[in-house]
Amino acid sequence: MSSHESKLARLRAELAARGPGGIGLAKSTSNLFRDREAQARPRVDLSRFNQVVEVDTARSRVSAEGMTTYADLVDATLAHGVMPCVVPQLKSITLGGAAAGVGIEASSFRYGLVHDTLLALEVLLADGSIVNCRPDNKHSDLFYGFPNSYGTLGYALKVTARTVPVKPYVRLEHVRHTSPEKFFAELEARCASDVDFVDGTVFSGDEMYLTLGRFADSAPHISDYTYEHIYYRSIRERSEDYLTVHDYIWRWDTDWFWCSKNLLAQNPLIRRLYGRERLGSRTYTKIMRWNSRVGITKKLERVIGLHSESVIQDVDIPIGRAAEFLDFYAREIALWPQWICPIGPQGGRFSLYPMKSEWTINFGFWDVKRTREAHQAGHFNRLIERKVAELGGIKSLYSDSFFTPEEFQRHYGGAAYRALKAKYDPQRAFPELYEKCVLRR
């Protein structure tokens, strides 16, 4: 705690020395999948705010600085026999980033999204002031307005979140289905059982697997998906599996779910060239950013006559319409595999991510749609967004969006965002991501 207080004192001195005027943030990590223009404004380096402050097992909570990666957060909490209630899938995601964005995992059927597990936020505002917000203090509007704001309202310097006890191992059961209706019916039923984790993997419109996880004190064998073997392939190959709790939490990171195929990392020879230490989201993100700058993939596509569109989305659909969305997806998009994750009702209190008080299914799909014929920019993403709106769903805004301004305001609390912006960002100093990046006309 004393280390964190000394960092705050140093930050306040730096901000005071700068005087009035806009500031930007110098960050070493990002899991946003949007190309952003370089900002000329002065930068404040917050990379030193990257440590776990306290693991309080007696009160089932952990406090950590905003730039703390979930990899470090999980290591610290597992050492005390607990884990954050919801741990997003990639090691490079930061606690502050998950608080300002939207985080989900297979425990979300019980605990909701990451922001549903938060207890307090310490936020750096655009004018250089630092406020502490909780659900029950004078800054409760910022606490409930922070998720899905993506840095436009401030930056989380410290976050306090709930934890849950763990056991050493997780037993997995993979249940195959060929009917979307039966798949979602069993998923809903299993969420009411004694399982600790629920998610699913869809390989086509008629091949899907429900994965159920339970904590275990012992394991007859332990699988390793951190190097030569690939987790998502095992779902088709075995009905039962065991992982350490650490490896279960990071089961998707080694291959970025399945997206490592686009970086040739699933080829056995090239996989060995990567090596165990370089397999994972940190490496793949660096390669993706480099390719985005130099445009190697786009140049190759032009040579062979392909048109491409990134389709990187997480959308949340009411469970009663989930089979309908999957049918649409199989007909119009058909990028496989696809991830499925149920979200339990939590009350819908967060103004910029207004979830309904009902069971919701998250569909995650992250790939590039390539066609011989040219389409309007954002053609496939627009199809998805129109369907999400039609079915009463909502999408996370870490990727490009093509909503019209009217659709955006209707689904994402535009009036609430403007009110928060006016109150907490009087200098309008932070980048206007909602207007310039998140919402692309």
Side-chain angles (χ1 to χ4, degrees):
M1 188 69 74
S2 61
S3 173
H4 179 70
E5 293 300 330
S6 67
K7 293 176 188 178
L8 286 179
R10 179 179 169 188
L11 175 61
R12 288 189 174 100
E14 291 176 0
L15 294 172
R18 288 176 181 272
I23 60 173
L25 302 179
K27 293 180 59 182
S28 59
T29 65
S30 175
N31 280 279
L32 294 180
F33 287 82
R34 297 190 298 269
D35 293 331
R36 285 152 290 169
E37 296 178 0
Q39 299 284 332
R41 71 184 69 214
R43 295 285 171 177
V44 176
D45 183 8
L46 298 179
S47 60
R48 61 185 179 273
F49 285 86
N50 64 350
Q51 294 180 315
V52 176
V53 176
E54 181 184 28
V55 180
D56 187 343
T57 56
R59 295 195 295 170
S60 301
R61 62 181 59 188
V62 60
S63 295
E65 294 168 330
M67 283 295 293
T68 304
T69 65
Y70 269 93
D72 291 338
L73 186 65
V74 165
D75 285 348
T77 54
L78 288 185
H80 292 266
V82 298
M83 62 175 274
C85 289
V86 180
V87 179
Q89 305 84 1
L90 305 182
K91 293 180 178 181
S92 57
I93 294 175
T94 62
L95 183 57
V102 177
I104 184 173
E105 237 297 342
S107 57
S108 289
F109 80 98
R110 179 165 295 157
Y111 302 110
L113 300 168
V114 165
H115 54 255
D116 291 304
T117 72
L118 301 184
L119 299 170
L121 296 168
E122 181 181 79
V123 180
L124 169 65
L125 300 178
D127 63 0
S129 61
I130 298 171
V131 300
N132 289 288
C133 49
R134 300 189 308 274
D136 58 353
N137 72 358
K138 65 179 181 180
H139 296 297
S140 60
D141 55 350
L142 180 58
F143 179 88
Y144 287 115
F146 201 75
N148 211 35
S149 66
Y150 290 92
T152 60
L153 298 176
Y155 184 80
L157 298 175
K158 188 176 72 171
V159 179
T160 302
R162 291 189 289 130
T163 60
V164 61
V166 302
K167 293 182 179 180
Y169 306 99
V170 177
R171 175 185 177 271
L172 298 180
E173 179 185 0
H174 305 303
V175 183
R176 189 176 190 272
H177 281 271
T178 57
S179 163
E181 290 77 13
K182 292 180 179 179
F183 172 76
F184 289 113
E186 181 174 358
L187 183 151
E188 186 171 14
R190 294 289 193 145
C191 285
S193 68
D194 63 347
V195 296
D196 296 298
F197 304 98
V198 181
D199 66 347
T201 308
V202 182
F203 291 92
S204 71
D206 58 6
E207 184 188 5
M208 55 216 72
Y209 296 81
L210 182 62
T211 297
L212 310 171
R214 292 178 173 85
F215 285 122
D217 292 308
S218 61
H221 60 84
I222 301 171
S223 295
D224 180 359
Y225 299 110
T226 62
Y227 188 28
E228 293 185 336
H229 302 291
I230 296 174
Y231 171 71
Y232 83 91
R233 292 179 179 173
S234 74
I235 294 171
R236 280 173 147 171
E237 297 166 352
R238 55 180 66 191
S239 59
E240 183 184 66
D241 207 351
Y242 287 86
L243 295 172
T244 66
V245 64
H246 178 275
D247 284 358
Y248 174 78
I249 289 171
W250 301 125
R251 68 201 183 282
W252 295 118
D253 185 85
T254 301
D255 283 284
W256 227 8
F257 281 82
W258 31 77
C259 298
S260 63
K261 65 185 179 184
N262 296 320
L263 302 171
L264 306 179
Q266 294 183 24
N267 178 288
L269 176 59
I270 297 178
R271 197 172 183 86
R272 291 188 180 92
L273 293 176
Y274 271 93
R276 187 189 298 268
E277 296 303 317
R278 287 189 292 275
L279 290 171
S281 60
R282 293 185 182 95
T283 297
Y284 306 144
T285 300
K286 291 177 182 177
I287 296 174
M288 179 193 71
R289 304 268 185 238
W290 171 82
N291 186 49
S292 179
R293 290 194 304 270
V294 301
I296 296 294
T297 300
K298 291 187 178 298
K299 292 173 184 176
L300 289 174
E301 289 169 347
R302 283 198 295 270
V303 169
I304 60 179
L306 289 177
H307 301 273
S308 66
E309 178 182 340
S310 292
V311 182
I312 300 173
Q313 300 282 4
D314 274 89
V315 302
D316 301 331
I317 306 295
I319 194 168
R321 312 296 297 273
E324 187 177 347
F325 179 83
L326 185 56
D327 177 68
F328 152 82
Y329 182 89
R331 284 185 288 104
E332 301 291 345
I333 311 301
L335 293 171
W336 309 108
Q338 181 190 60
W339 188 57
I340 301 290
C341 187
I343 308 168
Q346 303 296 318
R349 301 164 293 173
F350 293 91
S351 53
L352 301 186
Y353 208 72
M355 297 279 285
K356 296 179 181 178
S357 297
E358 60 182 315
W359 282 93
T360 304
I361 301 298
N362 175 270
F363 293 81
F365 38 96
W366 320 282
D367 212 328
V368 178
K369 184 75 173 178
R370 294 183 172 91
T371 60
R372 290 289 178 184
E373 65 274 20
H375 293 282
Q376 175 193 15
H379 169 76
F380 294 103
N381 285 283
R382 292 174 195 273
L383 286 178
I384 293 164
E385 289 176 350
R386 284 197 293 268
K387 193 65 178 180
V388 170
E390 174 191 330
L391 299 179
I394 193 170
K395 60 170 277 187
S396 175
L397 297 174
Y398 70 93
S399 59
D400 291 340
S401 294
F402 296 87
F403 279 115
T404 66
E406 294 75 20
E407 290 172 328
F408 184 79
Q409 179 156 335
R410 185 165 60 251
H411 291 281
Y412 293 91
Y417 170 70
R418 287 193 296 273
L420 287 163
K421 194 72 171 170
K423 179 176 179 180
Y424 289 102
D425 190 7
Q427 297 179 331
R428 305 184 71 79
F430 280 79
E432 297 286 337
L433 295 187
Y434 266 47
E435 288 80 3
K436 293 181 179 178
C437 297
V438 175
L439 181 58
R440 287 193 172 179
R441 313 287 201 274

mmCIF file of all heavy atoms in Angstrom, residues 54-62 73-85 87 161-168 215 245-246 249:
data_model
loop_
_atom_site.group_PDB
_atom_site.id
_atom_site.type_symbol
_atom_site.label_atom_id
_atom_site.label_comp_id
_atom_site.label_asym_id
_atom_site.label_seq_id
_atom_site.Cartn_x
_atom_site.Cartn_y
_atom_site.Cartn_z
ATOM 1 N N GLU A 54 -2.976 -5.727 -2.622
ATOM 2 C CA GLU A 54 -3.373 -6.526 -1.450
ATOM 3 C C GLU A 54 -4.286 -7.663 -1.889
ATOM 4 O O GLU A 54 -5.192 -7.472 -2.708
ATOM 5 C CB GLU A 54 -4.109 -5.645 -0.439
ATOM 6 C CG GLU A 54 -4.552 -6.377 0.821
ATOM 7 C CD GLU A 54 -5.361 -5.500 1.754
ATOM 8 O OE1 GLU A 54 -6.016 -4.560 1.261
ATOM 9 O OE2 GLU A 54 -5.337 -5.763 2.964
ATOM 10 N N VAL A 55 -4.039 -8.852 -1.344
ATOM 11 C CA VAL A 55 -4.967 -9.978 -1.463
ATOM 12 C C VAL A 55 -5.560 -10.209 -0.083
ATOM 13 O O VAL A 55 -4.847 -10.612 0.843
ATOM 14 C CB VAL A 55 -4.263 -11.248 -1.977
ATOM 15 C CG1 VAL A 55 -5.274 -12.396 -2.088
ATOM 16 C CG2 VAL A 55 -3.594 -11.004 -3.319
ATOM 17 N N ASP A 56 -6.833 -9.928 0.063
ATOM 18 C CA ASP A 56 -7.510 -10.014 1.353
ATOM 19 C C ASP A 56 -8.449 -11.217 1.328
ATOM 20 O O ASP A 56 -9.608 -11.117 0.911
ATOM 21 C CB ASP A 56 -8.286 -8.721 1.612
ATOM 22 C CG ASP A 56 -8.887 -8.652 3.013
ATOM 23 O OD1 ASP A 56 -8.985 -9.711 3.665
ATOM 24 O OD2 ASP A 56 -9.269 -7.547 3.443
ATOM 25 N N THR A 57 -7.947 -12.376 1.754
ATOM 26 C CA THR A 57 -8.766 -13.589 1.694
ATOM 27 C C THR A 57 -9.899 -13.553 2.713
ATOM 28 O O THR A 57 -10.953 -14.155 2.488
ATOM 29 C CB THR A 57 -7.897 -14.830 1.944
ATOM 30 O OG1 THR A 57 -7.215 -14.695 3.195
ATOM 31 C CG2 THR A 57 -6.874 -14.998 0.822
ATOM 32 N N ALA A 58 -9.707 -12.858 3.808
ATOM 33 C CA ALA A 58 -10.744 -12.803 4.837
ATOM 34 C C ALA A 58 -11.994 -12.118 4.311
ATOM 35 O O ALA A 58 -13.121 -12.486 4.666
ATOM 36 C CB ALA A 58 -10.217 -12.075 6.076
ATOM 37 N N ARG A 59 -11.801 -11.096 3.467
ATOM 38 C CA ARG A 59 -12.945 -10.367 2.908
ATOM 39 C C ARG A 59 -13.191 -10.730 1.447
ATOM 40 O O ARG A 59 -14.011 -10.084 0.792
ATOM 41 C CB ARG A 59 -12.726 -8.864 3.063
ATOM 42 C CG ARG A 59 -12.687 -8.400 4.509
ATOM 43 C CD ARG A 59 -12.831 -6.897 4.618
ATOM 44 N NE ARG A 59 -11.703 -6.183 4.019
ATOM 45 C CZ ARG A 59 -11.682 -4.865 3.808
ATOM 46 N NH1 ARG A 59 -12.731 -4.121 4.131
ATOM 47 N NH2 ARG A 59 -10.615 -4.289 3.292
ATOM 48 N N SER A 60 -12.494 -11.732 0.930
ATOM 49 C CA SER A 60 -12.696 -12.231 -0.438
ATOM 50 C C SER A 60 -12.564 -11.120 -1.467
ATOM 51 O O SER A 60 -13.445 -10.905 -2.305
ATOM 52 C CB SER A 60 -14.074 -12.906 -0.565
ATOM 53 O OG SER A 60 -14.198 -13.971 0.334
ATOM 54 N N ARG A 61 -11.410 -10.432 -1.441
ATOM 55 C CA ARG A 61 -11.193 -9.339 -2.385
ATOM 56 C C ARG A 61 -9.713 -9.190 -2.679
ATOM 57 O O ARG A 61 -8.854 -9.602 -1.907
ATOM 58 C CB ARG A 61 -11.762 -8.036 -1.854
ATOM 59 C CG ARG A 61 -11.133 -7.546 -0.550
ATOM 60 C CD ARG A 61 -11.766 -6.244 -0.063
ATOM 61 N NE ARG A 61 -13.188 -6.380 0.155
ATOM 62 C CZ ARG A 61 -14.011 -5.366 0.434
ATOM 63 N NH1 ARG A 61 -13.519 -4.134 0.524
ATOM 64 N NH2 ARG A 61 -15.301 -5.562 0.622
ATOM 65 N N VAL A 62 -9.432 -8.579 -3.819
ATOM 66 C CA VAL A 62 -8.067 -8.255 -4.206
ATOM 67 C C VAL A 62 -8.050 -6.834 -4.739
ATOM 68 O O VAL A 62 -8.970 -6.401 -5.434
ATOM 69 C CB VAL A 62 -7.534 -9.247 -5.274
ATOM 70 C CG1 VAL A 62 -8.386 -9.224 -6.540
ATOM 71 C CG2 VAL A 62 -6.083 -8.959 -5.617
ATOM 72 N N LEU A 73 -1.912 -10.918 -11.747
ATOM 73 C CA LEU A 73 -2.986 -10.938 -10.753
ATOM 74 C C LEU A 73 -3.342 -12.371 -10.366
ATOM 75 O O LEU A 73 -3.511 -12.687 -9.179
ATOM 76 C CB LEU A 73 -4.212 -10.210 -11.308
ATOM 77 C CG LEU A 73 -5.383 -10.014 -10.350
ATOM 78 C CD1 LEU A 73 -4.988 -9.103 -9.201
ATOM 79 C CD2 LEU A 73 -6.581 -9.441 -11.093
ATOM 80 N N VAL A 74 -3.431 -13.256 -11.350
ATOM 81 C CA VAL A 74 -3.757 -14.655 -11.074
ATOM 82 C C VAL A 74 -2.645 -15.317 -10.266
ATOM 83 O O VAL A 74 -2.921 -16.061 -9.310
ATOM 84 C CB VAL A 74 -4.017 -15.407 -12.393
ATOM 85 C CG1 VAL A 74 -3.993 -16.922 -12.182
ATOM 86 C CG2 VAL A 74 -5.360 -14.976 -12.975
ATOM 87 N N ASP A 75 -1.391 -15.054 -10.621
ATOM 88 C CA ASP A 75 -0.286 -15.632 -9.848
ATOM 89 C C ASP A 75 -0.371 -15.228 -8.379
ATOM 90 O O ASP A 75 -0.168 -16.046 -7.468
ATOM 91 C CB ASP A 75 1.059 -15.191 -10.429
ATOM 92 C CG ASP A 75 1.400 -15.907 -11.723
ATOM 93 O OD1 ASP A 75 0.725 -16.896 -12.053
ATOM 94 O OD2 ASP A 75 2.335 -15.453 -12.418
ATOM 95 N N ALA A 76 -0.677 -13.951 -8.145
ATOM 96 C CA ALA A 76 -0.738 -13.452 -6.767
ATOM 97 C C ALA A 76 -1.908 -14.052 -5.998
ATOM 98 O O ALA A 76 -1.774 -14.414 -4.822
ATOM 99 C CB ALA A 76 -0.833 -11.923 -6.778
ATOM 100 N N THR A 77 -3.055 -14.170 -6.638
ATOM 101 C CA THR A 77 -4.230 -14.682 -5.927
ATOM 102 C C THR A 77 -4.171 -16.195 -5.735
ATOM 103 O O THR A 77 -4.539 -16.700 -4.659
ATOM 104 C CB THR A 77 -5.523 -14.288 -6.668
ATOM 105 O OG1 THR A 77 -5.446 -14.715 -8.037
ATOM 106 C CG2 THR A 77 -5.729 -12.781 -6.614
ATOM 107 N N LEU A 78 -3.689 -16.932 -6.746
ATOM 108 C CA LEU A 78 -3.588 -18.390 -6.581
ATOM 109 C C LEU A 78 -2.655 -18.765 -5.448
ATOM 110 O O LEU A 78 -2.845 -19.798 -4.789
ATOM 111 C CB LEU A 78 -3.110 -19.042 -7.885
ATOM 112 C CG LEU A 78 -4.100 -19.093 -9.052
ATOM 113 C CD1 LEU A 78 -3.504 -19.875 -10.218
ATOM 114 C CD2 LEU A 78 -5.445 -19.691 -8.635
ATOM 115 N N ALA A 79 -1.645 -17.938 -5.199
ATOM 116 C CA ALA A 79 -0.733 -18.193 -4.081
ATOM 117 C C ALA A 79 -1.466 -18.162 -2.740
ATOM 118 O O ALA A 79 -0.992 -18.725 -1.746
ATOM 119 C CB ALA A 79 0.399 -17.168 -4.080
ATOM 120 N N HIS A 80 -2.643 -17.519 -2.719
ATOM 121 C CA HIS A 80 -3.462 -17.447 -1.505
ATOM 122 C C HIS A 80 -4.667 -18.370 -1.586
ATOM 123 O O HIS A 80 -5.566 -18.292 -0.735
ATOM 124 C CB HIS A 80 -3.926 -16.011 -1.272
ATOM 125 C CG HIS A 80 -2.826 -15.061 -0.911
ATOM 126 N ND1 HIS A 80 -2.490 -14.766 0.393
ATOM 127 C CD2 HIS A 80 -1.966 -14.358 -1.691
ATOM 128 C CE1 HIS A 80 -1.484 -13.907 0.409
ATOM 129 N NE2 HIS A 80 -1.148 -13.640 -0.842
ATOM 130 N N GLY A 81 -4.732 -19.217 -2.626
ATOM 131 C CA GLY A 81 -5.834 -20.160 -2.743
ATOM 132 C C GLY A 81 -7.128 -19.571 -3.256
ATOM 133 O O GLY A 81 -8.208 -20.149 -3.043
ATOM 134 N N VAL A 82 -7.038 -18.414 -3.941
ATOM 135 C CA VAL A 82 -8.230 -17.777 -4.500
ATOM 136 C C VAL A 82 -7.915 -17.298 -5.917
ATOM 137 O O VAL A 82 -6.757 -17.275 -6.345
ATOM 138 C CB VAL A 82 -8.708 -16.583 -3.643
ATOM 139 C CG1 VAL A 82 -9.090 -17.048 -2.240
ATOM 140 C CG2 VAL A 82 -7.646 -15.484 -3.574
ATOM 141 N N MET A 83 -8.959 -16.884 -6.648
ATOM 142 C CA MET A 83 -8.816 -16.279 -7.961
ATOM 143 C C MET A 83 -9.856 -15.171 -8.100
ATOM 144 O O MET A 83 -10.869 -15.186 -7.391
ATOM 145 C CB MET A 83 -9.028 -17.313 -9.071
ATOM 146 C CG MET A 83 -10.396 -17.938 -9.091
ATOM 147 S SD MET A 83 -10.687 -19.074 -10.493
ATOM 148 C CE MET A 83 -11.231 -17.905 -11.748
ATOM 149 N N PRO A 84 -9.628 -14.175 -8.959
ATOM 150 C CA PRO A 84 -10.708 -13.225 -9.234
ATOM 151 C C PRO A 84 -11.939 -13.976 -9.733
ATOM 152 O O PRO A 84 -11.814 -14.990 -10.437
ATOM 153 C CB PRO A 84 -10.109 -12.330 -10.330
ATOM 154 C CG PRO A 84 -8.628 -12.451 -10.153
ATOM 155 C CD PRO A 84 -8.390 -13.865 -9.695
ATOM 156 N N CYS A 85 -13.108 -13.504 -9.387
ATOM 157 C CA CYS A 85 -14.332 -14.223 -9.756
ATOM 158 C C CYS A 85 -14.422 -14.446 -11.259
ATOM 159 O O CYS A 85 -14.908 -15.496 -11.703
ATOM 160 C CB CYS A 85 -15.554 -13.439 -9.277
ATOM 161 S SG CYS A 85 -15.770 -13.443 -7.489
ATOM 162 N N VAL A 87 -11.978 -14.063 -14.732
ATOM 163 C CA VAL A 87 -10.658 -13.791 -15.296
ATOM 164 C C VAL A 87 -10.760 -13.825 -16.822
ATOM 165 O O VAL A 87 -10.978 -14.900 -17.390
ATOM 166 C CB VAL A 87 -9.605 -14.820 -14.835
ATOM 167 C CG1 VAL A 87 -8.254 -14.510 -15.462
ATOM 168 C CG2 VAL A 87 -9.498 -14.824 -13.316
ATOM 169 N N ALA A 161 -11.585 -5.904 -6.572
ATOM 170 C CA ALA A 161 -12.550 -6.850 -7.126
ATOM 171 C C ALA A 161 -12.721 -8.038 -6.185
ATOM 172 O O ALA A 161 -11.860 -8.327 -5.350
ATOM 173 C CB ALA A 161 -12.089 -7.340 -8.502
ATOM 174 N N ARG A 162 -13.833 -8.734 -6.340
ATOM 175 C CA ARG A 162 -14.115 -9.895 -5.500
ATOM 176 C C ARG A 162 -13.312 -11.111 -5.964
ATOM 177 O O ARG A 162 -12.973 -11.236 -7.131
ATOM 178 C CB ARG A 162 -15.614 -10.221 -5.538
ATOM 179 C CG ARG A 162 -16.476 -9.164 -4.848
ATOM 180 C CD ARG A 162 -17.912 -9.629 -4.714
ATOM 181 N NE ARG A 162 -18.589 -9.651 -6.000
ATOM 182 C CZ ARG A 162 -19.275 -10.683 -6.473
ATOM 183 N NH1 ARG A 162 -19.333 -11.816 -5.777
ATOM 184 N NH2 ARG A 162 -19.888 -10.619 -7.644
ATOM 185 N N THR A 163 -13.041 -12.006 -5.022
ATOM 186 C CA THR A 163 -12.344 -13.261 -5.322
ATOM 187 C C THR A 163 -13.196 -14.443 -4.872
ATOM 188 O O THR A 163 -14.158 -14.290 -4.113
ATOM 189 C CB THR A 163 -10.979 -13.331 -4.626
ATOM 190 O OG1 THR A 163 -11.165 -13.252 -3.195
ATOM 191 C CG2 THR A 163 -10.062 -12.210 -5.095
ATOM 192 N N VAL A 164 -12.803 -15.635 -5.337
ATOM 193 C CA VAL A 164 -13.504 -16.863 -4.988
ATOM 194 C C VAL A 164 -12.451 -17.933 -4.698
ATOM 195 O O VAL A 164 -11.396 -17.966 -5.339
ATOM 196 C CB VAL A 164 -14.436 -17.294 -6.137
ATOM 197 C CG1 VAL A 164 -13.661 -17.563 -7.415
ATOM 198 C CG2 VAL A 164 -15.272 -18.504 -5.755
ATOM 199 N N PRO A 165 -12.685 -18.830 -3.724
ATOM 200 C CA PRO A 165 -11.712 -19.898 -3.434
ATOM 201 C C PRO A 165 -11.587 -20.868 -4.607
ATOM 202 O O PRO A 165 -12.540 -21.078 -5.370
ATOM 203 C CB PRO A 165 -12.304 -20.596 -2.206
ATOM 204 C CG PRO A 165 -13.267 -19.617 -1.627
ATOM 205 C CD PRO A 165 -13.807 -18.831 -2.775
ATOM 206 N N VAL A 166 -10.410 -21.478 -4.742
ATOM 207 C CA VAL A 166 -10.166 -22.455 -5.806
ATOM 208 C C VAL A 166 -9.650 -23.752 -5.198
ATOM 209 O O VAL A 166 -9.269 -23.809 -4.026
ATOM 210 C CB VAL A 166 -9.141 -21.929 -6.840
ATOM 211 C CG1 VAL A 166 -9.610 -20.629 -7.454
ATOM 212 C CG2 VAL A 166 -7.761 -21.766 -6.207
ATOM 213 N N LYS A 167 -9.631 -24.797 -6.018
ATOM 214 C CA LYS A 167 -8.965 -26.056 -5.695
ATOM 215 C C LYS A 167 -7.831 -26.261 -6.693
ATOM 216 O O LYS A 167 -7.753 -25.546 -7.700
ATOM 217 C CB LYS A 167 -9.965 -27.208 -5.724
ATOM 218 C CG LYS A 167 -11.007 -27.121 -4.616
ATOM 219 C CD LYS A 167 -11.969 -28.301 -4.645
ATOM 220 C CE LYS A 167 -12.987 -28.206 -3.510
ATOM 221 N NZ LYS A 167 -13.931 -29.358 -3.526
ATOM 222 N N PRO A 168 -6.952 -27.233 -6.473
ATOM 223 C CA PRO A 168 -5.762 -27.350 -7.331
ATOM 224 C C PRO A 168 -6.058 -27.682 -8.795
ATOM 225 O O PRO A 168 -5.289 -27.319 -9.684
ATOM 226 C CB PRO A 168 -4.958 -28.476 -6.673
ATOM 227 C CG PRO A 168 -5.446 -28.529 -5.265
ATOM 228 C CD PRO A 168 -6.885 -28.155 -5.327
ATOM 229 N N PHE A 215 -14.163 -27.714 -9.957
ATOM 230 C CA PHE A 215 -12.939 -27.777 -9.164
ATOM 231 C C PHE A 215 -12.766 -29.183 -8.604
ATOM 232 O O PHE A 215 -13.735 -29.867 -8.269
ATOM 233 C CB PHE A 215 -12.994 -26.776 -8.011
ATOM 234 C CG PHE A 215 -12.793 -25.340 -8.429
ATOM 235 C CD1 PHE A 215 -13.769 -24.383 -8.151
ATOM 236 C CD2 PHE A 215 -11.645 -24.935 -9.081
ATOM 237 C CE1 PHE A 215 -13.589 -23.060 -8.521
ATOM 238 C CE2 PHE A 215 -11.457 -23.623 -9.462
ATOM 239 C CZ PHE A 215 -12.426 -22.678 -9.175
ATOM 240 N N VAL A 245 -5.542 -25.711 -12.048
ATOM 241 C CA VAL A 245 -6.391 -24.523 -12.079
ATOM 242 C C VAL A 245 -5.704 -23.392 -12.837
ATOM 243 O O VAL A 245 -6.358 -22.633 -13.573
ATOM 244 C CB VAL A 245 -6.791 -24.093 -10.641
ATOM 245 C CG1 VAL A 245 -5.576 -23.662 -9.826
ATOM 246 C CG2 VAL A 245 -7.826 -22.972 -10.685
ATOM 247 N N HIS A 246 -4.380 -23.284 -12.723
ATOM 248 C CA HIS A 246 -3.639 -22.260 -13.459
ATOM 249 C C HIS A 246 -3.771 -22.469 -14.964
ATOM 250 O O HIS A 246 -4.063 -21.539 -15.721
ATOM 251 C CB HIS A 246 -2.168 -22.284 -13.044
ATOM 252 C CG HIS A 246 -1.310 -21.302 -13.777
ATOM 253 N ND1 HIS A 246 -0.746 -21.586 -15.016
ATOM 254 C CD2 HIS A 246 -0.915 -20.037 -13.465
ATOM 255 C CE1 HIS A 246 -0.049 -20.540 -15.426
ATOM 256 N NE2 HIS A 246 -0.131 -19.595 -14.497
ATOM 257 N N ILE A 249 -7.327 -21.684 -16.261
ATOM 258 C CA ILE A 249 -7.578 -20.248 -16.417
ATOM 259 C C ILE A 249 -6.997 -19.732 -17.727
ATOM 260 O O ILE A 249 -7.611 -18.912 -18.414
ATOM 261 C CB ILE A 249 -7.001 -19.485 -15.210
ATOM 262 C CG1 ILE A 249 -7.828 -19.768 -13.951
ATOM 263 C CG2 ILE A 249 -6.943 -17.974 -15.481
ATOM 264 C CD1 ILE A 249 -7.210 -19.232 -12.681
#
